[in-house]
């Protein structure tokens, strides 16, 4: 930037970009310092041989209120997953549809042996309760583990094992369902009220759209902030920069290092991508590991959701394994292929490995109590602010809200 900025933001993920957008709207001069070679943080998309590879399986829940306020969904050309899921158990694919949003869905749900009759009644009751609860009310409820919450509602163990366990693990990356029941209810409400979608050109379009509202020269890439002292930062290059306010918008572990707080625990995930000649499943629906055997927790034929994710005549397959395994890519790939052959047959031998991502810090761990209060303070000390999903909750919504809250605090303190 030509003039020295009033505010330095450390990190160009969703939170840092959202903070910048609110500062830009208020006419405040700022610069975002980003260590990586691109913006987006955990929400990035790579191009590989004409395929679009999101860095880990991820979706935008269109009901997120902050995303609705911030993003132009039409310009993102969102492509929706079909609501519901397939679950592999008993040696076959079992489909659970959303009866409200699937033609003939009620008949299918009532006839299916996927879940007991009471499970189906309880899921509808849960949906109705969440529809009538505000997000604020959900985050004010007593916080227990999702496992405990599902038990209290009365879902059968089998239904939890075959549906909720792998479905929620695909989102919260915790197969033990030890995360906050508040997050479970919040995300289930969002799924009930909107779609799970990806932009036609990949999840990376979300941060790109936010960044398009920022002044052209307001983001500096390859600028790793090594240290923070009062309102001055030192870059890896040795350069020192000072501003009236510093907003640390780094991920939880690296933010903790910069501001001297305790590091949050991490949930991690590994994602493998394959090119296929034919989609193994013709439906744009997530597929879950409902029998618990094998490394793969969830699977999606991404090009069935968004055909732009694969070149013409090809299909893109995404496979998620919880944690960052100690195995080599070849070893883990071997286990994945063996499991996928059980699900989809010998055609899996023709899949071509494209790339894999091991993401040690995909989300901060959100155990019961971690979200108390639901919005943690963004003012750390005079002139220093903190935002990121670890300040609110681990989602695109949480990151956006935290960025806005940090910007509002900065603006108030700068008297703007
Ligand atoms: C695989 C995966 C799947 C997910 N699925 C979903 C989903 O389906 N739906 C959903 O809503 N959310 C999902 N999430 C969570 C969501 O992506 C995150 O909560 C959100 O993107 C966090 O944004 P952030 O800005 O807080 O942090 P980040 O995206 O981590 O951004 C922080 C930025 O700070 C930079 N940085 C860090 N340290 C420094 C430093 N010292 N100097 C300069 N720059 C620095 C980093 O390079 C990074 O760009 C998923 C996350 C992952 C990884």
């Amino acid at each position: 930037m030509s003039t020295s900025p009033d505010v330095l933001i450390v990190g160009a993920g969703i939170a840092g970009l959202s903070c910048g957008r609110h500062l830009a709207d208020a006419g405040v001069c700022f610069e975002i310092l980003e260590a990586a070679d691109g913006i987006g943080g955990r929400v990035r998309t790579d191009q590989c041989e004409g395929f679009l590879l999101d860095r880990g399986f991820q979706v935008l829940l269109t009901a997120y209120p902050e995303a609705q306020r911030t993003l132009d969904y039409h310009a993102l050309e969102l492509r929706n997953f079909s609501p519901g899921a397939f679950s592999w158990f008993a040696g076959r694919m079992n489909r659970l549809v959303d009866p409200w949003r699937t033609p003939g869905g009620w008949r299918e749900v009532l006839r299916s042996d996927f879940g007991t009759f009471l499970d189906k009644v309880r899921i509808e009751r849960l949906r109705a309760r969440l529809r009538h609860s505000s997000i604020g009310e959900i985050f004010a409820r007593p916080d227990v583990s999702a496992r405990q919450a599902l038990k209290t509602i009365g879902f059968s163990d089998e239904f939890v094992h075959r549906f909720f366990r792998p479905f929620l693990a695909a989102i919260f990356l915790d197969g033990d369902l030890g995360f906050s029941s508040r997050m479970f209810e919040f995300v289930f409400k969002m799924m009930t009220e909107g779609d799970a979608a990806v932009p036609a050109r990949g999840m990376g379009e979300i941060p790109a759209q936010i960044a398009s509202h920022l002044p052209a020269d307001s983001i500096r890439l390859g600028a790793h902030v090594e240290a923070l002292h009062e309102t001055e930062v030192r870059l890896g290059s040795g350069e020192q920069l000072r501003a009236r306010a510093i907003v640390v918008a780094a991920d939880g572990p690296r933010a903790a290092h910069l501001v001297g707080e305790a590091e949050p625990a991490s949930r991690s995930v590994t994602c493998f991508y394959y090119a296929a000649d034919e989609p193994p499943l013709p439906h744009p629906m997530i597929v879950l590991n409902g029998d618990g055997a094998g490394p793969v927790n969830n699977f999606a034929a991404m090009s069935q959701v968004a055909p732009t994710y694969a070149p013409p005549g090809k299909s893109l397959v995404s496979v998620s394994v919880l944690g960052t395994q100690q195995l080599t890519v070849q070893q883990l790939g071997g286990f994945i292929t063996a499991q996928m052959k059980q699900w989809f047959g010998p055609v899996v031998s023709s899949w071509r490995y494209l790339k894999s991502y091991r993401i040690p810090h995909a989300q901060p761990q959100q155990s019961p109590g971690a979200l108390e209060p639901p919005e943690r303070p963004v003012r750390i000390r005079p002139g220093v602010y903190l935002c990121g999903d670890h300040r609110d909750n681990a989602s695109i919504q949480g990151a956006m809200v935290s960025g806005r809250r940090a910007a509002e605090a900065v603006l108030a303190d700068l008297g703007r």
Side-chain angles (χ1 to χ4, degrees), residues 9-17 33-36 38-44 55-61 64 170-171 173 203 223-226 249-252 254-255 257-258 269 271 359 361-364 387-390 393-400 402:
I9 301 173
V10 182
I14 298 281
L17 294 169
L33 304 168
E34 168 54 57
I39 63 163
R42 277 166 273 169
V43 185
R44 291 185 67 175
R55 294 191 178 179
F57 173 74
Q58 45 187 296
V59 296
L60 173 70
L61 301 183
Y64 284 152
I171 301 162
L173 315 176
M203 289 294 285
H224 179 247
V225 173
E226 274 193 351
D251 50 276
R254 287 189 282 180
H257 170 73
L258 283 176
V269 71
C271 180
I359 308 165
H361 181 77
Q363 295 176 16
C387 64
D389 60 351
H390 49 96
N393 56 72
S395 64
I396 291 169
Q397 158 84 9
M400 283 180 171
S402 76

Side-chain angles (χ1 to χ4, degrees), residues 259-308:
V259 302
E261 284 193 346
E263 253 194 47
S266 301
R267 302 304 318 180
S268 46
V269 71
T270 302
C271 180
F272 272 59
Y273 284 107
Y274 297 93
D277 290 334
E278 298 286 337
L281 203 69
H283 309 276
M285 220 180 218
I286 190 168
V287 184
L288 307 170
N289 177 350
D291 68 9
V296 175
N297 180 76
N298 54 283
F299 160 100
M302 292 306 296
S303 46
Q304 293 304 104
V305 181
T308 37

Side-chain angles (χ1 to χ4, degrees), residues 27-376:
V28 170
C29 184
F30 64 91
E31 183 169 33
I32 302 183
L33 304 168
E34 168 54 57
D37 60 359
I39 63 163
R42 277 166 273 169
V43 185
R44 291 185 67 175
T45 304
D46 293 321
Q47 301 219 14
C48 173
E49 301 177 27
F51 294 88
L52 297 178
L53 311 184
D54 294 330
R55 294 191 178 179
F57 173 74
Q58 45 187 296
V59 296
L60 173 70
L61 301 183
T62 60
Y64 284 152
E66 193 77 6
Q68 288 179 349
R69 279 191 287 272
T70 307
L71 300 173
D72 177 347
Y73 283 0
H74 181 71
L76 287 174
E77 299 178 69
L78 295 179
R79 304 287 180 256
N80 297 339
F81 280 76
S82 286
F86 281 96
S87 180
W88 172 266
F89 60 84
R92 61 186 157 90
M93 287 294 171
N94 304 270
R95 192 163 88 143
L96 185 68
V97 297
D98 178 343
W100 299 98
R101 291 189 277 180
T102 312
W106 281 108
R107 204 164 22 150
E108 181 174 334
V109 165
L110 292 171
R111 280 188 183 166
S112 149
D113 59 0
F114 188 171
T116 64
F117 178 72
L118 279 179
D119 287 326
K120 291 162 193 172
V121 171
R122 285 176 178 130
I123 215 166
E124 288 312 316
R125 273 205 209 131
L126 173 64
R127 289 164 57 122
R129 173 165 69 78
L130 296 177
R131 264 187 189 282
H132 291 104
S133 307
S134 68
I135 294 175
E137 285 165 349
I138 287 173
F139 278 99
R141 290 223 172 99
D143 203 6
V144 296
S145 69
R147 172 170 294 285
Q148 182 59 48
L150 292 165
K151 208 175 177 61
T152 305
I153 294 170
F155 288 112
S156 68
D157 289 346
E158 194 170 283
F159 192 56
V160 170
H161 184 68
R162 290 175 168 177
F163 173 62
F164 278 116
R165 178 192 51 79
F167 184 67
L168 295 176
I171 301 162
F172 298 108
L173 315 176
D174 174 2
D176 293 329
L177 304 183
F179 50 86
S180 155
S181 57
R182 292 175 175 180
M183 274 314 275
F184 154 56
E185 292 200 348
F186 163 61
V187 165
F188 215 68
K189 176 181 171 68
M190 295 295 100
M191 291 191 150
T192 301
E193 295 178 358
D195 290 300
V198 290
R201 302 306 309 166
M203 289 294 285
E205 286 298 300
I206 294 173
Q209 189 183 85
I210 305 173
S212 70
H213 296 276
L214 307 184
D217 53 355
S218 59
I219 304 176
R220 206 198 296 186
L221 299 176
H224 179 247
V225 173
E226 274 193 351
L228 164 67
H229 180 66
E230 294 180 345
T231 54
E232 187 172 284
V233 297
R234 192 184 68 241
L235 302 186
S237 60
E239 186 183 353
Q240 300 203 328
L241 301 166
R242 179 182 282 278
R244 292 174 68 196
I246 310 282
V247 179
V248 177
D251 50 276
R254 287 189 282 180
H257 170 73
L258 283 176
V259 302
E261 284 193 346
E263 253 194 47
S266 301
R267 302 304 318 180
S268 46
V269 71
T270 302
C271 180
F272 272 59
Y273 284 107
Y274 297 93
D277 290 334
E278 298 286 337
L281 203 69
H283 309 276
M285 220 180 218
I286 190 168
V287 184
L288 307 170
N289 177 350
D291 68 9
V296 175
N297 180 76
N298 54 283
F299 160 100
M302 292 306 296
S303 46
Q304 293 304 104
V305 181
T308 37
Y309 268 54
K314 296 284 175 195
S315 289
L316 177 66
V317 165
S318 149
V319 163
S320 296
V321 175
L322 303 181
T324 47
Q325 313 289 321
Q326 295 299 310
L327 305 172
T328 63
V329 167
Q330 286 74 15
Q331 287 167 330
L332 186 53
F335 288 119
I336 289 172
T337 306
Q339 186 179 351
M340 292 297 95
K341 277 185 184 163
Q342 285 188 340
W343 291 15
F344 302 112
V347 69
V348 170
S349 301
S350 67
W351 292 3
R352 194 164 54 81
Y353 168 81
L354 289 171
K355 197 174 165 95
S356 56
Y357 297 92
R358 289 179 201 240
I359 308 165
H361 181 77
Q363 295 176 16
Q365 187 162 304
Q366 303 170 107
S367 304
L371 304 178
E372 188 58 57
E375 295 186 342
R376 269 87 63 209

